[in-house]
PDB file of all heavy atoms in Angstrom:
ATOM      1  N   ALA A  17     -42.836 -45.498 -27.130  1.00  0.00           N
ATOM      2  CA  ALA A  17     -43.353 -46.864 -27.380  1.00  0.00           C
ATOM      3  C   ALA A  17     -43.241 -47.782 -26.189  1.00  0.00           C
ATOM      4  O   ALA A  17     -44.043 -48.711 -26.117  1.00  0.00           O
ATOM      5  CB  ALA A  17     -42.713 -47.360 -28.658  1.00  0.00           C
ATOM      6  N   ASN A  18     -42.302 -47.561 -25.378  1.00  0.00           N
ATOM      7  CA  ASN A  18     -41.987 -48.417 -24.228  1.00  0.00           C
ATOM      8  C   ASN A  18     -42.514 -47.839 -22.852  1.00  0.00           C
ATOM      9  O   ASN A  18     -42.132 -48.399 -21.844  1.00  0.00           O
ATOM     10  CB  ASN A  18     -40.500 -48.740 -24.133  1.00  0.00           C
ATOM     11  CG  ASN A  18     -39.934 -49.352 -25.435  1.00  0.00           C
ATOM     12  OD1 ASN A  18     -40.612 -50.247 -25.923  1.00  0.00           O
ATOM     13  ND2 ASN A  18     -38.839 -48.867 -25.902  1.00  0.00           N
ATOM     14  N   TRP A  19     -43.218 -46.782 -22.948  1.00  0.00           N
ATOM     15  CA  TRP A  19     -43.669 -46.063 -21.693  1.00  0.00           C
ATOM     16  C   TRP A  19     -44.971 -46.734 -21.093  1.00  0.00           C
ATOM     17  O   TRP A  19     -45.253 -46.400 -19.925  1.00  0.00           O
ATOM     18  CB  TRP A  19     -43.924 -44.639 -21.917  1.00  0.00           C
ATOM     19  CG  TRP A  19     -42.690 -43.807 -22.198  1.00  0.00           C
ATOM     20  CD1 TRP A  19     -41.384 -44.238 -22.154  1.00  0.00           C
ATOM     21  CD2 TRP A  19     -42.681 -42.412 -22.522  1.00  0.00           C
ATOM     22  NE1 TRP A  19     -40.545 -43.186 -22.400  1.00  0.00           N
ATOM     23  CE2 TRP A  19     -41.294 -42.060 -22.658  1.00  0.00           C
ATOM     24  CE3 TRP A  19     -43.687 -41.455 -22.694  1.00  0.00           C
ATOM     25  CZ2 TRP A  19     -40.923 -40.786 -22.978  1.00  0.00           C
ATOM     26  CZ3 TRP A  19     -43.187 -40.114 -23.063  1.00  0.00           C
ATOM     27  CH2 TRP A  19     -41.814 -39.834 -23.166  1.00  0.00           C
ATOM     28  N   PHE A  20     -45.682 -47.512 -21.814  1.00  0.00           N
ATOM     29  CA  PHE A  20     -47.024 -47.906 -21.338  1.00  0.00           C
ATOM     30  C   PHE A  20     -47.105 -49.263 -20.835  1.00  0.00           C
ATOM     31  O   PHE A  20     -48.139 -49.704 -20.395  1.00  0.00           O
ATOM     32  CB  PHE A  20     -48.004 -47.712 -22.586  1.00  0.00           C
ATOM     33  CG  PHE A  20     -48.120 -46.282 -23.027  1.00  0.00           C
ATOM     34  CD1 PHE A  20     -47.278 -45.813 -23.990  1.00  0.00           C
ATOM     35  CD2 PHE A  20     -49.035 -45.442 -22.503  1.00  0.00           C
ATOM     36  CE1 PHE A  20     -47.369 -44.520 -24.475  1.00  0.00           C
ATOM     37  CE2 PHE A  20     -49.101 -44.120 -22.927  1.00  0.00           C
ATOM     38  CZ  PHE A  20     -48.276 -43.651 -23.879  1.00  0.00           C
ATOM     39  N   GLY A  21     -46.014 -49.979 -20.799  1.00  0.00           N
ATOM     40  CA  GLY A  21     -45.996 -51.313 -20.151  1.00  0.00           C
ATOM     41  C   GLY A  21     -46.500 -52.302 -21.098  1.00  0.00           C
ATOM     42  O   GLY A  21     -47.299 -52.095 -22.021  1.00  0.00           O
ATOM     43  N   ALA A  22     -46.084 -53.599 -20.841  1.00  0.00           N
ATOM     44  CA  ALA A  22     -46.416 -54.737 -21.710  1.00  0.00           C
ATOM     45  C   ALA A  22     -47.850 -55.263 -21.466  1.00  0.00           C
ATOM     46  O   ALA A  22     -48.367 -56.061 -22.282  1.00  0.00           O
ATOM     47  CB  ALA A  22     -45.435 -55.797 -21.627  1.00  0.00           C
ATOM     48  N   ASP A  23     -48.419 -54.961 -20.329  1.00  0.00           N
ATOM     49  CA  ASP A  23     -49.699 -55.579 -19.991  1.00  0.00           C
ATOM     50  C   ASP A  23     -50.928 -54.685 -20.388  1.00  0.00           C
ATOM     51  O   ASP A  23     -52.026 -54.827 -19.827  1.00  0.00           O
ATOM     52  CB  ASP A  23     -49.779 -55.761 -18.448  1.00  0.00           C
ATOM     53  CG  ASP A  23     -49.597 -54.489 -17.701  1.00  0.00           C
ATOM     54  OD1 ASP A  23     -49.161 -53.396 -18.271  1.00  0.00           O
ATOM     55  OD2 ASP A  23     -49.865 -54.430 -16.434  1.00  0.00           O
ATOM     56  N   GLN A  24     -50.752 -53.815 -21.339  1.00  0.00           N
ATOM     57  CA  GLN A  24     -51.839 -52.945 -21.816  1.00  0.00           C
ATOM     58  C   GLN A  24     -52.724 -53.703 -22.749  1.00  0.00           C
ATOM     59  O   GLN A  24     -52.385 -54.637 -23.373  1.00  0.00           O
ATOM     60  CB  GLN A  24     -51.275 -51.708 -22.582  1.00  0.00           C
ATOM     61  CG  GLN A  24     -50.409 -50.793 -21.727  1.00  0.00           C
ATOM     62  CD  GLN A  24     -51.187 -50.174 -20.621  1.00  0.00           C
ATOM     63  OE1 GLN A  24     -52.331 -49.815 -20.745  1.00  0.00           O
ATOM     64  NE2 GLN A  24     -50.511 -50.007 -19.444  1.00  0.00           N
ATOM     65  N   PRO A  25     -54.042 -53.352 -22.724  1.00  0.00           N
ATOM     66  CA  PRO A  25     -54.977 -54.041 -23.630  1.00  0.00           C
ATOM     67  C   PRO A  25     -54.610 -53.756 -25.133  1.00  0.00           C
ATOM     68  O   PRO A  25     -53.884 -52.820 -25.426  1.00  0.00           O
ATOM     69  CB  PRO A  25     -56.347 -53.362 -23.307  1.00  0.00           C
ATOM     70  CG  PRO A  25     -56.022 -52.115 -22.491  1.00  0.00           C
ATOM     71  CD  PRO A  25     -54.698 -52.359 -21.873  1.00  0.00           C
ATOM     72  N   ASP A  26     -55.173 -54.540 -25.956  1.00  0.00           N
ATOM     73  CA  ASP A  26     -54.826 -54.479 -27.397  1.00  0.00           C
ATOM     74  C   ASP A  26     -55.080 -53.122 -27.971  1.00  0.00           C
ATOM     75  O   ASP A  26     -54.281 -52.625 -28.804  1.00  0.00           O
ATOM     76  CB  ASP A  26     -55.649 -55.546 -28.177  1.00  0.00           C
ATOM     77  CG  ASP A  26     -55.121 -56.914 -27.941  1.00  0.00           C
ATOM     78  OD1 ASP A  26     -54.003 -57.075 -27.400  1.00  0.00           O
ATOM     79  OD2 ASP A  26     -55.898 -57.876 -28.283  1.00  0.00           O
ATOM     80  N   TYR A  27     -56.176 -52.398 -27.620  1.00  0.00           N
ATOM     81  CA  TYR A  27     -56.487 -51.194 -28.255  1.00  0.00           C
ATOM     82  C   TYR A  27     -55.457 -50.113 -27.793  1.00  0.00           C
ATOM     83  O   TYR A  27     -55.117 -49.220 -28.663  1.00  0.00           O
ATOM     84  CB  TYR A  27     -57.896 -50.692 -27.831  1.00  0.00           C
ATOM     85  CG  TYR A  27     -58.045 -50.142 -26.480  1.00  0.00           C
ATOM     86  CD1 TYR A  27     -57.916 -48.700 -26.300  1.00  0.00           C
ATOM     87  CD2 TYR A  27     -58.375 -50.888 -25.383  1.00  0.00           C
ATOM     88  CE1 TYR A  27     -58.063 -48.199 -25.016  1.00  0.00           C
ATOM     89  CE2 TYR A  27     -58.505 -50.407 -24.162  1.00  0.00           C
ATOM     90  CZ  TYR A  27     -58.389 -49.029 -23.995  1.00  0.00           C
ATOM     91  OH  TYR A  27     -58.495 -48.437 -22.694  1.00  0.00           O
ATOM     92  N   VAL A  28     -54.863 -50.239 -26.639  1.00  0.00           N
ATOM     93  CA  VAL A  28     -53.854 -49.272 -26.249  1.00  0.00           C
ATOM     94  C   VAL A  28     -52.550 -49.494 -27.070  1.00  0.00           C
ATOM     95  O   VAL A  28     -51.940 -48.545 -27.566  1.00  0.00           O
ATOM     96  CB  VAL A  28     -53.552 -49.365 -24.703  1.00  0.00           C
ATOM     97  CG1 VAL A  28     -52.341 -48.482 -24.330  1.00  0.00           C
ATOM     98  CG2 VAL A  28     -54.789 -48.887 -23.970  1.00  0.00           C
ATOM     99  N   ARG A  29     -52.249 -50.803 -27.234  1.00  0.00           N
ATOM    100  CA  ARG A  29     -51.013 -51.111 -28.005  1.00  0.00           C
ATOM    101  C   ARG A  29     -51.192 -50.646 -29.441  1.00  0.00           C
ATOM    102  O   ARG A  29     -50.218 -50.110 -30.069  1.00  0.00           O
ATOM    103  CB  ARG A  29     -50.733 -52.593 -27.896  1.00  0.00           C
ATOM    104  CG  ARG A  29     -50.270 -53.008 -26.551  1.00  0.00           C
ATOM    105  CD  ARG A  29     -49.508 -54.384 -26.639  1.00  0.00           C
ATOM    106  NE  ARG A  29     -50.389 -55.483 -27.053  1.00  0.00           N
ATOM    107  CZ  ARG A  29     -51.119 -56.197 -26.159  1.00  0.00           C
ATOM    108  NH1 ARG A  29     -51.041 -55.977 -24.835  1.00  0.00           N
ATOM    109  NH2 ARG A  29     -51.923 -57.158 -26.606  1.00  0.00           N
ATOM    110  N   ARG A  30     -52.411 -50.764 -29.991  1.00  0.00           N
ATOM    111  CA  ARG A  30     -52.638 -50.293 -31.340  1.00  0.00           C
ATOM    112  C   ARG A  30     -52.462 -48.765 -31.432  1.00  0.00           C
ATOM    113  O   ARG A  30     -51.879 -48.282 -32.371  1.00  0.00           O
ATOM    114  CB  ARG A  30     -53.995 -50.675 -31.850  1.00  0.00           C
ATOM    115  CG  ARG A  30     -54.174 -52.200 -32.186  1.00  0.00           C
ATOM    116  CD  ARG A  30     -55.401 -52.488 -32.978  1.00  0.00           C
ATOM    117  NE  ARG A  30     -56.590 -52.144 -32.234  1.00  0.00           N
ATOM    118  CZ  ARG A  30     -57.262 -53.014 -31.422  1.00  0.00           C
ATOM    119  NH1 ARG A  30     -56.788 -54.191 -31.305  1.00  0.00           N
ATOM    120  NH2 ARG A  30     -58.358 -52.655 -30.810  1.00  0.00           N
ATOM    121  N   ARG A  31     -53.039 -48.055 -30.480  1.00  0.00           N
ATOM    122  CA  ARG A  31     -52.869 -46.625 -30.472  1.00  0.00           C
ATOM    123  C   ARG A  31     -51.403 -46.193 -30.368  1.00  0.00           C
ATOM    124  O   ARG A  31     -51.033 -45.197 -31.038  1.00  0.00           O
ATOM    125  CB  ARG A  31     -53.722 -46.018 -29.345  1.00  0.00           C
ATOM    126  CG  ARG A  31     -55.225 -46.071 -29.556  1.00  0.00           C
ATOM    127  CD  ARG A  31     -55.945 -45.431 -28.393  1.00  0.00           C
ATOM    128  NE  ARG A  31     -57.386 -45.483 -28.589  1.00  0.00           N
ATOM    129  CZ  ARG A  31     -58.252 -45.004 -27.674  1.00  0.00           C
ATOM    130  NH1 ARG A  31     -57.793 -44.487 -26.553  1.00  0.00           N
ATOM    131  NH2 ARG A  31     -59.559 -45.155 -27.971  1.00  0.00           N
ATOM    132  N   VAL A  32     -50.663 -46.843 -29.564  1.00  0.00           N
ATOM    133  CA  VAL A  32     -49.221 -46.512 -29.407  1.00  0.00           C
ATOM    134  C   VAL A  32     -48.490 -46.740 -30.709  1.00  0.00           C
ATOM    135  O   VAL A  32     -47.702 -45.937 -31.169  1.00  0.00           O
ATOM    136  CB  VAL A  32     -48.590 -47.291 -28.274  1.00  0.00           C
ATOM    137  CG1 VAL A  32     -47.091 -47.148 -28.250  1.00  0.00           C
ATOM    138  CG2 VAL A  32     -49.233 -46.897 -26.879  1.00  0.00           C
ATOM    139  N   ALA A  33     -48.819 -47.849 -31.405  1.00  0.00           N
ATOM    140  CA  ALA A  33     -48.211 -48.186 -32.631  1.00  0.00           C
ATOM    141  C   ALA A  33     -48.502 -47.159 -33.721  1.00  0.00           C
ATOM    142  O   ALA A  33     -47.659 -46.667 -34.473  1.00  0.00           O
ATOM    143  CB  ALA A  33     -48.578 -49.549 -33.083  1.00  0.00           C
ATOM    144  N   VAL A  34     -49.799 -46.785 -33.765  1.00  0.00           N
ATOM    145  CA  VAL A  34     -50.238 -45.770 -34.776  1.00  0.00           C
ATOM    146  C   VAL A  34     -49.551 -44.420 -34.492  1.00  0.00           C
ATOM    147  O   VAL A  34     -49.130 -43.709 -35.433  1.00  0.00           O
ATOM    148  CB  VAL A  34     -51.751 -45.642 -34.778  1.00  0.00           C
ATOM    149  CG1 VAL A  34     -52.158 -44.460 -35.603  1.00  0.00           C
ATOM    150  CG2 VAL A  34     -52.408 -46.894 -35.346  1.00  0.00           C
ATOM    151  N   ALA A  35     -49.436 -44.022 -33.225  1.00  0.00           N
ATOM    152  CA  ALA A  35     -48.760 -42.776 -32.828  1.00  0.00           C
ATOM    153  C   ALA A  35     -47.341 -42.753 -33.335  1.00  0.00           C
ATOM    154  O   ALA A  35     -46.839 -41.719 -33.767  1.00  0.00           O
ATOM    155  CB  ALA A  35     -48.845 -42.573 -31.334  1.00  0.00           C
ATOM    156  N   GLN A  36     -46.673 -43.951 -33.278  1.00  0.00           N
ATOM    157  CA  GLN A  36     -45.277 -43.962 -33.671  1.00  0.00           C
ATOM    158  C   GLN A  36     -45.259 -43.792 -35.223  1.00  0.00           C
ATOM    159  O   GLN A  36     -44.392 -43.080 -35.774  1.00  0.00           O
ATOM    160  CB  GLN A  36     -44.702 -45.334 -33.299  1.00  0.00           C
ATOM    161  CG  GLN A  36     -44.443 -45.524 -31.780  1.00  0.00           C
ATOM    162  CD  GLN A  36     -43.568 -44.483 -31.164  1.00  0.00           C
ATOM    163  OE1 GLN A  36     -42.525 -44.207 -31.764  1.00  0.00           O
ATOM    164  NE2 GLN A  36     -43.811 -44.013 -29.977  1.00  0.00           N
ATOM    165  N   PHE A  37     -46.108 -44.452 -35.937  1.00  0.00           N
ATOM    166  CA  PHE A  37     -46.209 -44.273 -37.386  1.00  0.00           C
ATOM    167  C   PHE A  37     -46.440 -42.805 -37.732  1.00  0.00           C
ATOM    168  O   PHE A  37     -45.897 -42.248 -38.701  1.00  0.00           O
ATOM    169  CB  PHE A  37     -47.299 -45.160 -37.976  1.00  0.00           C
ATOM    170  CG  PHE A  37     -46.858 -46.614 -38.172  1.00  0.00           C
ATOM    171  CD1 PHE A  37     -47.684 -47.657 -37.607  1.00  0.00           C
ATOM    172  CD2 PHE A  37     -45.732 -46.959 -38.841  1.00  0.00           C
ATOM    173  CE1 PHE A  37     -47.299 -48.971 -37.689  1.00  0.00           C
ATOM    174  CE2 PHE A  37     -45.368 -48.265 -38.998  1.00  0.00           C
ATOM    175  CZ  PHE A  37     -46.125 -49.279 -38.466  1.00  0.00           C
ATOM    176  N   ALA A  38     -47.427 -42.162 -37.026  1.00  0.00           N
ATOM    177  CA  ALA A  38     -47.739 -40.815 -37.302  1.00  0.00           C
ATOM    178  C   ALA A  38     -46.500 -39.831 -37.051  1.00  0.00           C
ATOM    179  O   ALA A  38     -46.302 -38.972 -37.932  1.00  0.00           O
ATOM    180  CB  ALA A  38     -48.859 -40.360 -36.431  1.00  0.00           C
ATOM    181  N   ALA A  39     -45.787 -40.068 -35.999  1.00  0.00           N
ATOM    182  CA  ALA A  39     -44.611 -39.260 -35.762  1.00  0.00           C
ATOM    183  C   ALA A  39     -43.619 -39.427 -36.880  1.00  0.00           C
ATOM    184  O   ALA A  39     -42.994 -38.422 -37.348  1.00  0.00           O
ATOM    185  CB  ALA A  39     -43.971 -39.626 -34.400  1.00  0.00           C
ATOM    186  N   LYS A  40     -43.397 -40.583 -37.372  1.00  0.00           N
ATOM    187  CA  LYS A  40     -42.444 -40.838 -38.490  1.00  0.00           C
ATOM    188  C   LYS A  40     -42.951 -40.176 -39.768  1.00  0.00           C
ATOM    189  O   LYS A  40     -42.120 -39.785 -40.660  1.00  0.00           O
ATOM    190  CB  LYS A  40     -42.257 -42.315 -38.697  1.00  0.00           C
ATOM    191  CG  LYS A  40     -41.511 -43.067 -37.630  1.00  0.00           C
ATOM    192  CD  LYS A  40     -41.444 -44.492 -37.836  1.00  0.00           C
ATOM    193  CE  LYS A  40     -40.750 -45.268 -36.668  1.00  0.00           C
ATOM    194  NZ  LYS A  40     -40.681 -46.731 -36.821  1.00  0.00           N
ATOM    195  N   ALA A  41     -44.257 -39.992 -39.904  1.00  0.00           N
ATOM    196  CA  ALA A  41     -44.816 -39.312 -41.045  1.00  0.00           C
ATOM    197  C   ALA A  41     -44.752 -37.758 -40.877  1.00  0.00           C
ATOM    198  O   ALA A  41     -45.171 -37.002 -41.871  1.00  0.00           O
ATOM    199  CB  ALA A  41     -46.262 -39.780 -41.312  1.00  0.00           C
ATOM    200  N   GLY A  42     -44.324 -37.310 -39.691  1.00  0.00           N
ATOM    201  CA  GLY A  42     -44.271 -35.821 -39.407  1.00  0.00           C
ATOM    202  C   GLY A  42     -45.526 -35.266 -38.886  1.00  0.00           C
ATOM    203  O   GLY A  42     -45.767 -34.070 -38.859  1.00  0.00           O
ATOM    204  N   LEU A  43     -46.416 -36.208 -38.349  1.00  0.00           N
ATOM    205  CA  LEU A  43     -47.703 -35.695 -37.760  1.00  0.00           C
ATOM    206  C   LEU A  43     -47.509 -35.546 -36.245  1.00  0.00           C
ATOM    207  O   LEU A  43     -46.756 -36.298 -35.695  1.00  0.00           O
ATOM    208  CB  LEU A  43     -48.818 -36.748 -38.074  1.00  0.00           C
ATOM    209  CG  LEU A  43     -49.195 -36.874 -39.566  1.00  0.00           C
ATOM    210  CD1 LEU A  43     -50.161 -38.087 -39.765  1.00  0.00           C
ATOM    211  CD2 LEU A  43     -49.865 -35.576 -40.058  1.00  0.00           C
ATOM    212  N   PRO A  44     -48.261 -34.584 -35.708  1.00  0.00           N
ATOM    213  CA  PRO A  44     -47.993 -34.226 -34.283  1.00  0.00           C
ATOM    214  C   PRO A  44     -48.725 -35.144 -33.310  1.00  0.00           C
ATOM    215  O   PRO A  44     -49.526 -36.048 -33.727  1.00  0.00           O
ATOM    216  CB  PRO A  44     -48.644 -32.837 -34.213  1.00  0.00           C
ATOM    217  CG  PRO A  44     -49.731 -32.844 -35.228  1.00  0.00           C
ATOM    218  CD  PRO A  44     -49.244 -33.708 -36.336  1.00  0.00           C
ATOM    219  N   LEU A  45     -48.521 -34.949 -32.021  1.00  0.00           N
ATOM    220  CA  LEU A  45     -49.034 -35.811 -31.008  1.00  0.00           C
ATOM    221  C   LEU A  45     -50.451 -35.594 -30.746  1.00  0.00           C
ATOM    222  O   LEU A  45     -51.232 -36.509 -30.491  1.00  0.00           O
ATOM    223  CB  LEU A  45     -48.233 -35.506 -29.728  1.00  0.00           C
ATOM    224  CG  LEU A  45     -48.517 -36.268 -28.475  1.00  0.00           C
ATOM    225  CD1 LEU A  45     -47.185 -36.336 -27.559  1.00  0.00           C
ATOM    226  CD2 LEU A  45     -49.667 -35.809 -27.646  1.00  0.00           C
ATOM    227  N   ASN A  46     -51.027 -34.332 -30.894  1.00  0.00           N
ATOM    228  CA  ASN A  46     -52.336 -33.999 -30.452  1.00  0.00           C
ATOM    229  C   ASN A  46     -53.105 -33.166 -31.516  1.00  0.00           C
ATOM    230  O   ASN A  46     -52.810 -32.036 -31.703  1.00  0.00           O
ATOM    231  CB  ASN A  46     -52.320 -33.242 -29.180  1.00  0.00           C
ATOM    232  CG  ASN A  46     -53.724 -32.887 -28.635  1.00  0.00           C
ATOM    233  OD1 ASN A  46     -54.730 -33.407 -29.134  1.00  0.00           O
ATOM    234  ND2 ASN A  46     -53.830 -32.011 -27.663  1.00  0.00           N
ATOM    235  N   MET A  47     -54.020 -33.855 -32.178  1.00  0.00           N
ATOM    236  CA  MET A  47     -54.753 -33.213 -33.252  1.00  0.00           C
ATOM    237  C   MET A  47     -55.893 -32.221 -32.798  1.00  0.00           C
ATOM    238  O   MET A  47     -56.451 -31.510 -33.560  1.00  0.00           O
ATOM    239  CB  MET A  47     -55.376 -34.232 -34.227  1.00  0.00           C
ATOM    240  CG  MET A  47     -54.362 -35.057 -34.996  1.00  0.00           C
ATOM    241  SD  MET A  47     -53.591 -34.007 -36.265  1.00  0.00           S
ATOM    242  CE  MET A  47     -52.789 -35.342 -37.326  1.00  0.00           C
ATOM    243  N   ASP A  48     -56.133 -32.295 -31.452  1.00  0.00           N
ATOM    244  CA  ASP A  48     -57.162 -31.424 -30.941  1.00  0.00           C
ATOM    245  C   ASP A  48     -56.576 -30.034 -30.590  1.00  0.00           C
ATOM    246  O   ASP A  48     -57.387 -29.063 -30.335  1.00  0.00           O
ATOM    247  CB  ASP A  48     -57.768 -32.028 -29.631  1.00  0.00           C
ATOM    248  CG  ASP A  48     -58.981 -31.282 -29.164  1.00  0.00           C
ATOM    249  OD1 ASP A  48     -59.941 -31.080 -29.906  1.00  0.00           O
ATOM    250  OD2 ASP A  48     -58.973 -30.788 -27.993  1.00  0.00           O
ATOM    251  N   SER A  49     -55.266 -29.858 -30.598  1.00  0.00           N
ATOM    252  CA  SER A  49     -54.618 -28.622 -30.359  1.00  0.00           C
ATOM    253  C   SER A  49     -54.424 -27.865 -31.690  1.00  0.00           C
ATOM    254  O   SER A  49     -54.884 -28.338 -32.716  1.00  0.00           O
ATOM    255  CB  SER A  49     -53.339 -28.805 -29.656  1.00  0.00           C
ATOM    256  OG  SER A  49     -52.346 -29.400 -30.580  1.00  0.00           O
ATOM    257  N   TRP A  50     -53.648 -26.709 -31.633  1.00  0.00           N
ATOM    258  CA  TRP A  50     -53.379 -26.015 -32.899  1.00  0.00           C
ATOM    259  C   TRP A  50     -52.600 -26.923 -33.847  1.00  0.00           C
ATOM    260  O   TRP A  50     -52.594 -26.728 -35.054  1.00  0.00           O
ATOM    261  CB  TRP A  50     -52.521 -24.741 -32.600  1.00  0.00           C
ATOM    262  CG  TRP A  50     -53.380 -23.601 -32.040  1.00  0.00           C
ATOM    263  CD1 TRP A  50     -53.636 -23.296 -30.769  1.00  0.00           C
ATOM    264  CD2 TRP A  50     -53.999 -22.601 -32.891  1.00  0.00           C
ATOM    265  NE1 TRP A  50     -54.424 -22.149 -30.780  1.00  0.00           N
ATOM    266  CE2 TRP A  50     -54.626 -21.668 -31.991  1.00  0.00           C
ATOM    267  CE3 TRP A  50     -54.102 -22.388 -34.251  1.00  0.00           C
ATOM    268  CZ2 TRP A  50     -55.342 -20.631 -32.409  1.00  0.00           C
ATOM    269  CZ3 TRP A  50     -54.785 -21.195 -34.706  1.00  0.00           C
ATOM    270  CH2 TRP A  50     -55.376 -20.359 -33.790  1.00  0.00           C
ATOM    271  N   ASP A  51     -51.928 -27.972 -33.348  1.00  0.00           N
ATOM    272  CA  ASP A  51     -51.204 -28.885 -34.223  1.00  0.00           C
ATOM    273  C   ASP A  51     -52.180 -29.569 -35.193  1.00  0.00           C
ATOM    274  O   ASP A  51     -51.707 -29.948 -36.287  1.00  0.00           O
ATOM    275  CB  ASP A  51     -50.514 -29.964 -33.400  1.00  0.00           C
ATOM    276  CG  ASP A  51     -49.037 -29.588 -33.059  1.00  0.00           C
ATOM    277  OD1 ASP A  51     -48.512 -28.788 -33.784  1.00  0.00           O
ATOM    278  OD2 ASP A  51     -48.459 -30.182 -32.098  1.00  0.00           O
ATOM    279  N   GLY A  52     -53.412 -29.653 -34.876  1.00  0.00           N
ATOM    280  CA  GLY A  52     -54.381 -30.252 -35.822  1.00  0.00           C
ATOM    281  C   GLY A  52     -54.957 -29.258 -36.824  1.00  0.00           C
ATOM    282  O   GLY A  52     -55.688 -29.694 -37.717  1.00  0.00           O
ATOM    283  N   TYR A  53     -54.494 -28.012 -36.761  1.00  0.00           N
ATOM    284  CA  TYR A  53     -54.936 -26.938 -37.673  1.00  0.00           C
ATOM    285  C   TYR A  53     -53.761 -26.099 -38.059  1.00  0.00           C
ATOM    286  O   TYR A  53     -53.652 -24.895 -37.803  1.00  0.00           O
ATOM    287  CB  TYR A  53     -55.986 -26.081 -36.926  1.00  0.00           C
ATOM    288  CG  TYR A  53     -57.158 -26.894 -36.430  1.00  0.00           C
ATOM    289  CD1 TYR A  53     -57.064 -27.570 -35.224  1.00  0.00           C
ATOM    290  CD2 TYR A  53     -58.323 -27.014 -37.151  1.00  0.00           C
ATOM    291  CE1 TYR A  53     -58.171 -28.341 -34.777  1.00  0.00           C
ATOM    292  CE2 TYR A  53     -59.397 -27.777 -36.762  1.00  0.00           C
ATOM    293  CZ  TYR A  53     -59.342 -28.467 -35.542  1.00  0.00           C
ATOM    294  OH  TYR A  53     -60.369 -29.237 -35.042  1.00  0.00           O
ATOM    295  N   PRO A  54     -52.768 -26.752 -38.778  1.00  0.00           N
ATOM    296  CA  PRO A  54     -51.570 -26.037 -39.073  1.00  0.00           C
ATOM    297  C   PRO A  54     -51.694 -24.785 -39.962  1.00  0.00           C
ATOM    298  O   PRO A  54     -50.998 -23.818 -39.773  1.00  0.00           O
ATOM    299  CB  PRO A  54     -50.687 -27.111 -39.763  1.00  0.00           C
ATOM    300  CG  PRO A  54     -51.646 -28.107 -40.246  1.00  0.00           C
ATOM    301  CD  PRO A  54     -52.754 -28.132 -39.310  1.00  0.00           C
ATOM    302  N   ALA A  55     -52.661 -24.856 -40.876  1.00  0.00           N
ATOM    303  CA  ALA A  55     -52.813 -23.637 -41.777  1.00  0.00           C
ATOM    304  C   ALA A  55     -53.354 -22.446 -40.940  1.00  0.00           C
ATOM    305  O   ALA A  55     -53.009 -21.300 -41.158  1.00  0.00           O
ATOM    306  CB  ALA A  55     -53.808 -24.012 -42.904  1.00  0.00           C
ATOM    307  N   ALA A  56     -54.296 -22.731 -40.041  1.00  0.00           N
ATOM    308  CA  ALA A  56     -54.848 -21.642 -39.188  1.00  0.00           C
ATOM    309  C   ALA A  56     -53.787 -21.088 -38.325  1.00  0.00           C
ATOM    310  O   ALA A  56     -53.705 -19.855 -38.098  1.00  0.00           O
ATOM    311  CB  ALA A  56     -56.052 -22.239 -38.374  1.00  0.00           C
ATOM    312  N   ARG A  57     -52.938 -21.978 -37.763  1.00  0.00           N
ATOM    313  CA  ARG A  57     -51.815 -21.475 -36.970  1.00  0.00           C
ATOM    314  C   ARG A  57     -50.866 -20.643 -37.758  1.00  0.00           C
ATOM    315  O   ARG A  57     -50.329 -19.603 -37.313  1.00  0.00           O
ATOM    316  CB  ARG A  57     -51.037 -22.640 -36.273  1.00  0.00           C
ATOM    317  CG  ARG A  57     -49.884 -22.270 -35.446  1.00  0.00           C
ATOM    318  CD  ARG A  57     -49.298 -23.458 -34.696  1.00  0.00           C
ATOM    319  NE  ARG A  57     -48.908 -24.530 -35.652  1.00  0.00           N
ATOM    320  CZ  ARG A  57     -48.682 -25.803 -35.280  1.00  0.00           C
ATOM    321  NH1 ARG A  57     -48.796 -26.089 -33.973  1.00  0.00           N
ATOM    322  NH2 ARG A  57     -48.398 -26.673 -36.166  1.00  0.00           N
ATOM    323  N   ASP A  58     -50.509 -21.080 -38.961  1.00  0.00           N
ATOM    324  CA  ASP A  58     -49.635 -20.350 -39.848  1.00  0.00           C
ATOM    325  C   ASP A  58     -50.170 -18.870 -40.072  1.00  0.00           C
ATOM    326  O   ASP A  58     -49.464 -17.905 -40.052  1.00  0.00           O
ATOM    327  CB  ASP A  58     -49.478 -21.001 -41.175  1.00  0.00           C
ATOM    328  CG  ASP A  58     -48.563 -22.237 -41.107  1.00  0.00           C
ATOM    329  OD1 ASP A  58     -47.856 -22.409 -40.091  1.00  0.00           O
ATOM    330  OD2 ASP A  58     -48.548 -23.075 -42.086  1.00  0.00           O
ATOM    331  N   ARG A  59     -51.471 -18.831 -40.305  1.00  0.00           N
ATOM    332  CA  ARG A  59     -52.092 -17.474 -40.601  1.00  0.00           C
ATOM    333  C   ARG A  59     -51.876 -16.582 -39.339  1.00  0.00           C
ATOM    334  O   ARG A  59     -51.671 -15.406 -39.444  1.00  0.00           O
ATOM    335  CB  ARG A  59     -53.578 -17.651 -40.871  1.00  0.00           C
ATOM    336  CG  ARG A  59     -53.854 -18.254 -42.250  1.00  0.00           C
ATOM    337  CD  ARG A  59     -55.186 -18.103 -42.707  1.00  0.00           C
ATOM    338  NE  ARG A  59     -56.178 -18.879 -41.920  1.00  0.00           N
ATOM    339  CZ  ARG A  59     -56.577 -20.191 -42.167  1.00  0.00           C
ATOM    340  NH1 ARG A  59     -56.012 -20.803 -43.139  1.00  0.00           N
ATOM    341  NH2 ARG A  59     -57.499 -20.698 -41.406  1.00  0.00           N
TER     342      ARG A  59
END
């Protein structure tokens, strides 16, 4: 949350905040990888 600097545009700050909420919910960093398809990876 503190890696991107305070001078980032609003949309970047929103994305960082949402990513933090996602991690707390147990969701992964990258939904375009196998992390976005957990059932397929399990198989």
